[in-house]
Amino acid sequence: MAFFTGGLFWFIEGVLACLAVVAIKIWTQDRGIAMPWWKWLLTALWFCLAGFTLAMIGTSLGEGEPRAAVMGGVVFGVVTVVTGVAFWRVLGFSRAQPKTNDHA
Amino acid sequence: MPTDDAKQQVSRRQFLKFSGAAGAALGVGSMGLFGYQAGKDPSSYTGWKSFEGGDQTFDRARFETNSPTYEKVGDTSRIDARTEVVFSRMGYIFRSYKDETGIEGLPQHVQAYYKAHPEDLELDLYLVRELYALQREDDKKHGDAFILAQAWSDAMAAVQPPRISEPPEVADFPKTKGDRYHRGDPDSPYKMKSPQNTSKLIKKIAHQLGGTLVGIATLNPDWVYRYPTRGRGLDTDKPLEVPKHWQSAIVVGTPMSWDPMYANPNYGTSDDAYSIARIIGFRLAAFIRKLGYAARPHTPGFSYDVAVPPIMVDAGLGEQGRHGVVITPELGCNIRPTVVTTNLPLQPDKPIDFGVQSFCSTCKVCAEQCPSGAIPKGGKTVVRGYRRWQVHAAKCHNFWSSNLGNMGCRICVAVCPYTRKANWLHKTALQVTANDPTGVSHAALTKMQKLFYPGPNPPDYYIPSLGGKNASYREPPWWLRTEDFVEL
């Protein structure tokens, strides 16, 4: 079985996802951003959307449908970027200022 | 001033932030590579990788209905296969039609058919008088480009079971003569423990024989031809009485090879799946007869005594689509079926409703891509007492008789949004459509289908003599590109 469709790949994806969660938690703490459950949910959904977009492009290329890859990339890519910017603002990531030494 | 501990904590937090960001980027980015491998994955070629039944994966139980998704609206009648099946009808034209006598020289029932369907007479005569000649001329000029596709088709068709030359009351039953292992009397078959148990066994055997999808139905007599076709051991001038031992119908389907199928009409072939289905049908019938029961295979292309699509619907394999082909969850309409009629006591499956009627009512991709205009763009009509979309068989036949490459067309099969390989993307789309009672996703996915997977301009599918470009829906796979292997 090819690596990227095998179980080990999804295990590594899980590890990377855990790392990302830790990083987001520390980053938001450092910037004084409150993270209630719905912000976590929106953040997770956005990462899923980004992953879906790339996987959709890759799958279309893999099965010999370059037009589907391009059109899918454009359609879902635009949705990903627009929702990314919207979520960034809605979640307050752009307004908060970095805190300094509050953990010291 | 931060202490050393604080500095260390800052450093650790920075490291976690950095590695987490890198992990997120890597995790999301590698989804593209996952997708690429999933798209190329041989395991997505449903039906061409497994003989263990592992491809019949759709959870049909959730979509079972007590009545099939076709609608009975009045008195029904059975098909007269001699005239309503285009291949049989054309046989009369080839054998008996002369310009001097016109249809008066044809048998009475054929005359009656053409009087009732004058457009079919016009189309059938256009085929023999003009289309075949144009096709031959174009084939001389352009046909060599498809020699590998034709070789693949011939290879798959090379092994054929024998034709059935005896009527059901003889051919279907076990024969003791010459079978030294036959321990029983054909009139006293082995007693099976239960119909449910036997159905489970028969499905396993059908899968082991290479069947991708298997279903069982109680045979509805409406699906048996009123008059039979030639070459089945039956008198075509006598109505076919439904034999008492045709109680159940086991239907087994196999797909055409996926990549050539997408390169229809020129590079695909029906013969790959036909050949496998034929052999499965004969083997399954032999298995049943060995148990002492009657069994008769009805196999593609022309060796049927029954109309297969409604049997597939009854057996829960799928639903009949706008293009007349049964759409299954696993294979879309890339399926070629064989049927075995039998008196083996079996537990029938239930029909399923996974949203095809709703999807097809708005999709129309097949109708828009069909170069011959044979697939209706409008609503359903009543045909022999059942409401359904009715394909114009003569228009369809004329197109696929005129193109180059392999015999047949199959564009409607290739362009159908359900006919997709089994990767995560298309499986997800299937689940969305099947579980959406509102139809909202149907419209969205149809739009995506047209935007993402467009086909050529339909007139381009025609041969150059008819104004076309010998276009195919998709490029052929590398192993059918004649120009890469053969000096032309």
Side-chain angles (χ1 to χ4, degrees):
Chain A
M1 182 182 281
F3 172 76
F4 287 100
T5 51
L8 181 59
F9 168 73
W10 289 108
F11 173 76
I12 293 170
E13 283 286 282
V15 172
L16 295 176
C18 290
L19 272 176
V21 168
V22 171
I24 291 168
K25 185 173 171 56
I26 293 172
W27 183 77
T28 52
Q29 279 177 350
D30 287 356
R31 294 172 74 94
I33 302 168
M35 283 294 283
W37 66 269
W38 60 271
K39 286 191 177 181
W40 280 110
L41 180 65
L42 285 180
T43 306
L45 285 176
W46 185 84
F47 273 100
C48 288
L49 177 62
F52 168 84
T53 302
L54 288 171
M56 191 268 174
I57 294 169
T59 301
S60 299
L61 289 174
E63 63 181 4
E65 293 283 356
R67 183 186 161 97
V70 171
M71 296 308 295
V74 169
V75 171
F76 291 109
V78 166
V79 173
T80 304
V81 170
V82 168
T83 53
V85 171
F87 284 3
W88 188 266
R89 292 184 174 178
V90 167
L91 300 182
F93 291 167
S94 56
R95 289 195 301 273
Q97 294 302 310
K99 287 184 177 179
T100 52
N101 299 331
D102 61 341
H103 49 269
Chain B
M1 289 285 288
T3 62
D4 283 352
D5 280 354
K7 274 184 185 172
Q8 201 172 17
Q9 200 175 1
V10 170
S11 166
R12 191 183 305 130
R13 291 175 75 86
Q14 290 296 96
F15 172 75
L16 283 170
K17 275 196 285 188
F18 175 76
S19 57
L26 191 62
V28 172
S30 58
M31 289 299 288
L33 295 170
F34 152 74
Y36 184 72
Q37 283 197 344
K40 290 182 85 71
D41 195 341
S43 71
S44 65
Y45 288 70
T46 311
W48 283 83
K49 60 184 172 56
S50 170
F51 288 85
E52 291 291 336
D55 282 343
Q56 191 156 348
T57 53
F58 191 73
D59 180 11
R60 284 176 164 74
R62 289 184 49 226
F63 299 94
E64 280 180 353
T65 63
N66 288 322
S67 53
T69 51
Y70 52 75
E71 187 188 357
K72 188 174 175 180
V73 291
D75 291 338
T76 62
S77 62
R78 290 154 52 195
I79 295 174
D80 184 344
R82 301 170 302 177
T83 49
E84 293 178 79
V85 174
V86 66
F87 315 116
S88 302
R89 187 172 73 239
M90 289 306 297
Y92 291 104
I93 294 283
F94 292 134
R95 288 190 301 273
S96 312
Y97 185 85
K98 291 185 177 64
D99 283 337
E100 309 86 72
T101 51
I103 64 167
E104 301 304 321
L106 297 173
Q108 286 292 327
H109 63 276
V110 185
Q111 288 185 38
Y113 178 85
Y114 278 132
K115 281 173 184 166
H117 303 88
E119 191 188 5
D120 282 3
L121 176 63
E122 201 176 308
L123 287 163
D124 291 350
L125 291 178
Y126 173 57
L127 174 63
V128 292
R129 285 171 175 164
E130 295 181 46
L131 275 183
Y132 281 143
L134 292 173
Q135 197 270 355
R136 276 194 294 274
E137 283 305 306
D138 273 33
D139 190 52
K140 281 180 197 163
K141 293 179 201 161
H142 311 288
D144 287 341
F146 308 108
I147 189 62
L148 284 188
Q150 291 167 349
W152 161 250
S153 185
D154 280 12
M156 290 305 293
V159 180
Q160 300 272 356
R163 291 188 80 89
I164 293 176
S165 56
E166 295 168 313
E169 56 271 20
V170 178
D172 301 5
F173 284 89
K175 293 174 180 54
T176 53
K177 214 173 185 179
D179 182 353
R180 70 192 181 96
Y181 294 111
H182 202 291
R183 288 176 289 275
D185 176 353
D187 295 330
S188 303
Y190 285 96
K191 187 168 170 20
M192 306 305 285
K193 289 194 171 179
S194 75
Q196 293 90 335
N197 204 25
T198 312
S199 287
K200 184 179 169 190
L201 171 69
I202 288 298
K203 287 179 181 179
K204 176 61 181 167
I205 296 300
H207 281 138
Q208 288 292 124
L209 292 173
T212 305
L213 303 181
V214 188
I216 295 170
T218 301
L219 182 63
N220 179 344
D222 278 358
W223 311 142
V224 178
Y225 289 161
R226 185 157 48 99
Y227 284 88
T229 53
R230 289 158 62 98
R232 295 283 293 164
L234 291 156
D235 185 346
T236 56
D237 290 329
K238 286 185 182 165
L240 173 55
E241 296 295 328
V242 182
K244 285 193 174 60
H245 63 272
W246 289 6
Q247 292 160 6
S248 294
I250 306 157
V251 56
V252 187
T254 56
M256 295 172 279
S257 183
W258 286 87
D259 288 338
M261 184 274 300
Y262 284 127
N264 275 318
N266 294 309
Y267 293 92
T269 174
S270 300
D271 271 321
D272 47 14
Y274 277 179
S275 175
I276 296 168
R278 270 194 291 262
I279 291 168
I280 292 170
F282 273 78
R283 284 178 169 165
L284 189 59
F287 182 90
I288 293 168
R289 283 197 294 265
K290 191 70 183 173
L291 297 174
Y293 293 89
R296 183 178 182 86
H298 306 259
T299 58
F302 316 119
S303 300
Y304 294 112
D305 303 319
V306 293
V308 180
I311 296 176
M312 294 173 74
V313 174
D314 291 347
L317 288 191
E319 296 181 59
Q320 196 165 14
R322 178 180 287 276
H323 41 38
V325 188
V326 170
I327 296 173
T328 67
E330 292 89 346
L331 300 167
C333 44
N334 179 17
I335 182 168
R336 297 301 193 186
T338 191
V339 170
V340 175
T341 46
T342 181
N343 60 358
L344 180 68
L346 292 165
Q347 171 76 29
D349 294 303
K350 284 189 168 182
I352 58 171
D353 177 357
F354 64 111
V356 168
Q357 304 309 304
S358 161
F359 195 96
C360 284
S361 66
T362 56
C363 171
K364 304 181 185 179
V365 166
C366 57
E368 289 163 5
Q369 275 285 298
C370 176
S372 71
I375 301 172
K377 291 179 180 164
K380 296 179 179 179
T381 50
V382 176
V383 184
R384 289 184 291 274
Y386 291 91
R387 196 185 305 282
R388 52 171 286 206
W389 286 293
Q390 170 76 334
V391 170
H392 198 300
K395 287 183 182 174
C396 171
H397 184 242
N398 274 13
F399 172 75
W400 68 252
S401 298
S402 72
N403 65 358
L404 304 183
N406 285 315
M407 183 169 280
C409 165
R410 301 164 294 268
I411 291 171
C412 56
V413 174
V415 304
C416 178
Y418 283 96
T419 308
R420 294 289 162 197
K421 288 183 285 183
N423 60 46
W424 69 276
L425 185 61
H426 306 307
K427 279 183 172 178
T428 305
L430 171 67
Q431 287 300 332
V432 169
T433 57
N435 290 286
D436 174 15
T438 67
V440 172
S441 69
H442 300 180
L445 286 165
T446 299
K447 281 197 168 53
M448 275 195 256
Q449 170 76 19
K450 291 178 183 177
L451 186 64
F452 294 1
Y453 305 97
N457 185 25
D460 290 348
Y461 286 120
Y462 277 96
I463 53 175
S465 289
L466 293 167
K469 298 175 180 172
N470 284 335
S472 296
Y473 177 60
R474 288 291 178 265
E475 290 294 311
W478 65 268
W479 49 279
L480 292 184
R481 291 174 198 265
T482 303
E483 61 275 20
D484 291 346
F485 297 94
V486 180
E487 296 285 354
L488 293 176

